[in-house]
Amino acid sequence: MTDATTHPFDDALALTSLEPGTYLGKTSPAYNNMVGPFGGLTAATLIRAIELHPDRHGDPISLTINFAGPITEGEFQISTRAVRTNRSNQHWYLEVSQNGEIATTATAVFGTRRETWDDDEATPPDAPAPSELEQSGFPDFIAWARNYEMRFASGALTEEASDSSTITLWVRDTPSRALDFTSLTSMADIFYPRVFQRRGTYVPAGTISLTIHYFATAEDIAAQHDSYVLAHAHARRFHRGYFDQSAELWSSDEKLIATSHQVVYYKD
């Protein structure tokens, strides 16, 4: 891509300031899901809204987004409010509204990081190098997935039921794009619903609530550039219409850069 060309992801994140803390956005057909926009893009757009706020302090530490209702094609508004700023962290409340109704609520924590004692208890999942795996993805009718290059080590979408919900894949934007906090946010929701994998078929399903914890610093993000991210997720229980999902995102040099946790509804 040339410098004069914007990336489709950045086009989809575009926001116009209406007044301090309030932004106007528009859904992007390129990032549509089966119903409404891709949830990862919605989450990323909220991070972008805070990044644009003149009072923003530091980088993302956590984001919790609750999908209260559907977002339909067209314009939407995001309201952002810093509810408290401390010495090292800043707490935000956000709402996405459309046609006078609240569609999404969220809270976020931004902050600065300092040099401290560090240790890693988590270990990356075993996976062949991306070059050893074939590129694949989701069916063409899932528009947002066409914006990612995916190479599955396990859990590729098939029509066969599985005893395991575990999925492991290498992923990066296509066309190539250097990682930043917004694209990392979007990748935290890169996984198709775990119930599809267990049942080997599509069923109505959608995320209700998603929380992302960020471990990457700005320096970690810059070092990653446009390399593959190793994404790994699994569920723990499917019960009476809801299941959970826990995920890890690893940099190409095996650093844990984010985790996510969500609850998903499904019908059967």
Side-chain angles (χ1 to χ4, degrees):
M1 298 183 66
T2 65
D3 292 340
T5 303
T6 57
H7 193 281
F9 185 72
D10 295 298
D11 290 340
L13 291 180
L15 295 172
T16 301
S17 178
L18 299 177
E19 59 184 31
T22 303
Y23 302 91
L24 181 68
K26 187 176 182 179
T27 57
S28 169
Y31 283 86
N32 278 350
N33 204 346
M34 289 185 286
V35 177
F38 170 43
L41 179 70
T42 301
T45 306
L46 294 175
I47 292 296
R48 174 55 53 84
I50 298 175
E51 290 178 336
L52 292 173
H53 200 291
D55 295 336
R56 187 256 293 187
H57 177 69
D59 294 320
I61 304 297
S62 71
L63 171 71
T64 295
I65 176 171
N66 300 308
F67 299 94
I71 297 176
T72 58
E73 292 283 346
E75 294 183 339
F76 57 84
Q77 287 191 14
I78 298 177
S79 64
T80 65
R81 179 166 60 96
V83 296
R84 180 160 179 161
T85 300
N86 301 318
R87 292 178 61 184
S88 60
N89 54 65
Q90 185 178 52
H91 299 255
W92 291 85
Y93 178 73
L94 306 95
E95 291 180 345
V96 179
S97 60
Q98 195 176 51
N99 302 320
E101 292 186 332
I102 300 299
T104 302
T105 64
T107 58
V109 178
F110 273 54
T112 57
R113 298 180 185 269
R114 60 175 64 93
E115 292 294 331
T116 62
W117 174 82
D118 283 8
D119 188 40
D120 299 316
E121 289 197 11
T123 56
D126 291 330
S131 60
E132 299 176 25
L133 298 169
E134 293 185 2
Q135 182 176 344
S136 59
F138 299 166
D140 285 343
F141 65 83
I142 303 178
W144 67 263
R146 297 196 294 266
N147 297 284
Y148 294 96
E149 179 186 339
M150 302 181 188
R151 297 177 182 268
F152 288 86
S154 66
L157 187 58
T158 69
E159 296 181 357
E160 296 182 4
S162 173
D163 292 333
S164 172
S165 65
T166 299
I167 181 173
T168 304
L169 71 150
W170 292 98
V171 60
R172 63 179 177 181
D173 288 285
T174 183
S176 177
R177 181 185 184 277
L179 190 73
D180 60 15
F181 284 110
T182 58
S183 57
L184 179 62
T185 300
S186 184
M187 288 178 187
D189 195 33
I190 199 76
F191 315 95
Y192 64 86
R194 304 292 77 229
V195 69
F196 293 3
Q197 183 171 334
R198 290 297 312 274
R199 299 302 304 278
T201 187
Y202 297 103
V203 300
T207 300
I208 298 292
S209 183
L210 166 66
T211 294
I212 303 168
H213 296 143
Y214 303 83
F215 298 102
T217 63
E219 293 77 15
D220 294 330
I221 295 288
Q224 177 70 11
H225 193 54
D226 64 350
S227 298
Y228 292 95
V229 169
L230 182 59
H232 177 74
H234 65 93
R236 285 169 291 196
R237 192 180 187 192
F238 302 81
H239 183 61
R240 295 198 172 188
Y242 297 92
F243 68 88
D244 70 322
Q245 176 184 287
S246 295
E248 299 174 347
L249 298 177
W250 295 81
S251 66
S252 55
D253 59 354
E254 298 188 342
K255 292 180 180 178
L256 184 63
I257 52 178
T259 59
S260 70
H261 311 274
Q262 61 181 271
V263 61
V264 185
Y265 88 90
Y266 67 97
K267 296 180 181 180
D268 196 2

